[in-house]
Amino acid sequence: MQLRMPQTNYFMLPPSATVCLFVLPQEHDVSNKRTKTMLTNLAAGHPHDRVGDALHGQLWFLHISLRTCMRSLLSLAMLLAGNILYAEDLSKPGRYRVQTELDQWTDPGRNNRVIPLKIYAPANSKGRLPVVLFSHGGGGSREGNPLLGDHLASHGFVCIHLQHEGTDDRASRRSPRSIRDAANDPKVCADRFRDVAFAVQQVEKNELSQVLRGRLDPERIGVSGHSLGGITTQVIAGQDVKGYGQQFCLPKLKGAVILSPSLPRPGFGDSATAFKDMKMPMLSITGTADTPPDKSFPAKERRVPFDRTSNVEQWLLVLDGATHFTFSGNLERPRIAALLPGMEADPKLVENHDKVKAVTLAFWRWTLLDDPIAKDQLTTVLPKIVQSNGELEYKPAVQQHAK
């Protein structure tokens, strides 16, 4: 610890002077006559008597500075302890009871395409509510990832989980290859991307349901997804897609949470350029055993979007031993999952889910609620909590300069 002394014109020590620093206990109040006399006598006994009075004054100042500094350190320690408790509490349910509702939208611009959805909302909340749109993985449905739907809604967010016809559970039962085709061909996935754009329009109209009519905040919308839904989220966040560019990007959104992120498959483009111009802060979440079901790349390559992106703020959460199933947000595996690589049971599922909930909630509090404390949690405290079973990396945005 270094104390910086103010520059003064009235106090100069000769080069040969020796300064003794006395740290007095709390009970020695410098205003006390006895304490002042002690300091004065100590200063007067110094070989350079001519600076005795000045030295007494400086010792008095140092004592005050140290007392102030110690109080500041104590306050800082209490603040850090409070922050750690606050960060740990992020994995616990919030103050609101969660109400759910099943609904569906019809998009007249796409031959009346039906988009089933499930809404998670905080009951009895007041004011305009931030919105998180969620895109399920291949072969999933609007019932996917209740973990985050329930958790975020309990903390005051509205979560709208979309179901994408053509890459949902019904399509998978009709043709198991449809999911692999979608992951490799943006043409097959295009309706997914348009579903998210249509959902944003519906939120902006603020006619979601009778309960939430007029309650949504159209200026505070984020997007999230798992696996194929993670690819969908990346594209919405600005990933350049072969043959489409950034046609599907929605830069008005405030942030993106990508569960099981993916490098671009050959049909989608080149990883060297796909992430050069992302449009919003991103949180990528994966695990060391997060192998894709088609085994098309090793789990460690799920960090490619994080590594290749530099123009927006990012976090990357990697959990030791977490599998692809971990991030589906379910406590029980579907029967078919036992047949798929990467869908093995996670022995630390509950612990890993708690970390996912805490980090995700902090990210949305920062991006959708402009909470600076939440950002501090992401960059300073949560990495320490996560390190027991993983790593949370932060990557600041690098400003791009026109040549």
Side-chain angles (χ1 to χ4, degrees):
M1 179 176 65
Q2 181 179 5
L3 288 177
R4 295 193 174 210
M5 306 304 298
Q7 295 182 353
T8 60
N9 295 324
Y10 59 85
F11 179 70
M12 294 292 291
L13 283 176
S16 60
T18 302
V19 176
C20 296
L21 179 61
F22 295 91
V23 180
L24 300 179
Q26 180 76 17
E27 61 268 17
H28 282 284
D29 187 354
V30 292
S31 63
N32 181 279
K33 183 177 180 180
R34 181 181 176 187
T35 304
K36 276 189 174 183
T37 301
M38 180 183 71
L39 289 172
T40 302
N41 290 340
L42 285 169
H46 192 276
H48 300 277
D49 290 340
R50 60 191 176 87
V51 298
D53 289 340
L55 182 57
H56 160 252
Q58 191 67 356
L59 286 170
W60 178 83
F61 176 81
L62 284 172
H63 173 60
I64 288 293
S65 299
L66 285 169
R67 285 183 60 184
T68 303
C69 185
M70 292 304 294
R71 287 173 180 167
S72 298
L73 288 174
L74 180 60
S75 298
L76 178 61
M78 293 176 66
L79 177 62
L80 289 176
N83 279 347
I84 291 173
L85 290 174
Y86 172 81
E88 290 176 339
D89 285 342
L90 292 176
S91 66
K92 294 179 172 57
R95 59 185 291 196
Y96 298 105
R97 178 179 59 83
V98 178
Q99 59 185 27
T100 61
E101 179 181 355
L102 299 179
D103 202 348
Q104 67 179 35
W105 290 322
T106 302
D107 184 358
R110 289 184 292 161
N111 297 318
N112 291 325
R113 175 180 171 84
V114 174
I115 307 171
L117 57 128
K118 184 173 184 177
I119 303 166
Y120 297 80
N124 303 319
S125 58
K126 298 180 180 180
R128 289 294 184 95
L129 300 171
V131 178
V132 177
L133 303 173
F134 186 83
S135 175
H136 64 76
S141 72
R142 61 186 173 182
E143 298 292 342
N145 214 301
L147 176 83
L148 290 178
D150 275 320
H151 187 63
L152 294 174
S154 77
H155 286 273
F157 297 82
V158 171
C159 296
I160 304 174
H161 290 218
L162 309 174
Q163 182 167 331
H164 306 286
E165 182 182 355
T167 54
D168 57 2
D169 52 354
R170 294 172 296 188
S172 180
R173 287 193 293 269
R174 290 194 302 266
S175 174
R177 286 190 56 86
S178 62
I179 308 305
R180 178 179 295 184
D181 292 342
N184 289 281
D185 187 350
K187 292 181 181 178
V188 180
C189 252
D191 271 328
R192 271 182 159 260
F193 310 147
R194 296 186 179 107
D195 286 345
V196 178
F198 184 76
V200 171
Q201 293 174 7
Q202 295 302 103
V203 171
E204 290 175 335
K205 289 179 181 178
N206 231 323
E207 298 177 355
L208 189 60
S209 67
Q210 290 296 331
V211 175
L212 294 170
R213 188 180 299 273
R215 298 284 315 286
L216 306 181
D217 189 339
E219 301 299 320
R220 298 179 185 272
I221 308 174
V223 61
S224 181
H226 172 237
S227 192
L228 188 55
I231 294 175
T232 302
T233 301
Q234 292 170 193
V235 171
I236 298 300
Q239 177 181 331
D240 189 89
V241 179
K242 185 178 180 180
Y244 295 93
Q246 291 181 305
Q247 174 182 329
F248 302 114
C249 173
L250 298 173
K252 67 177 71 175
L253 303 189
K254 299 298 183 182
V257 173
I258 308 156
L259 300 159
S260 300
S262 292
L263 69 166
R265 312 295 176 92
F268 275 77
D270 180 6
S271 62
T273 58
F275 305 103
K276 66 180 183 301
D277 186 26
M278 302 304 282
K279 300 300 185 183
M280 62 196 70
M282 299 190 300
L283 166 62
S284 297
I285 302 177
T286 185
T288 57
D290 188 4
T291 306
D294 62 2
K295 293 186 176 180
S296 54
F297 57 84
K300 64 182 180 181
E301 292 193 10
R302 290 203 181 274
R303 63 176 294 129
V304 167
F306 175 82
D307 290 334
R308 294 289 186 176
T309 300
S310 60
N311 70 310
V312 297
E313 285 189 278
Q314 295 182 90
W315 285 263
L316 173 66
L317 174 62
V318 182
L319 296 172
D320 295 337
T323 72
H324 200 58
F325 162 71
T326 303
F327 308 108
S328 69
N330 296 303
L331 292 176
E332 296 183 3
R333 290 186 304 160
R335 273 181 253 176
I336 191 174
L339 305 176
L340 299 175
M343 296 295 280
E344 292 84 2
D346 181 351
K348 294 185 177 181
L349 185 64
V350 174
E351 179 183 345
N352 284 333
H353 275 180
D354 281 346
K355 290 181 170 68
V356 170
K357 289 189 290 186
V359 174
T360 301
L361 177 58
F363 179 83
W364 288 129
R365 279 184 170 175
W366 171 54
T367 54
L368 296 185
L369 299 179
D370 302 317
D371 183 353
I373 295 178
K375 185 176 182 181
D376 182 64
Q377 300 299 321
L378 283 167
T379 54
T380 61
V381 180
L382 280 168
K384 294 181 177 64
I385 293 175
V386 166
Q387 69 184 1
S388 63
N389 188 42
E391 184 178 10
L392 178 59
E393 298 179 51
Y394 170 61
K395 187 176 180 181
V398 177
Q399 295 297 323
Q400 297 179 337
H401 300 285
K403 296 183 178 179

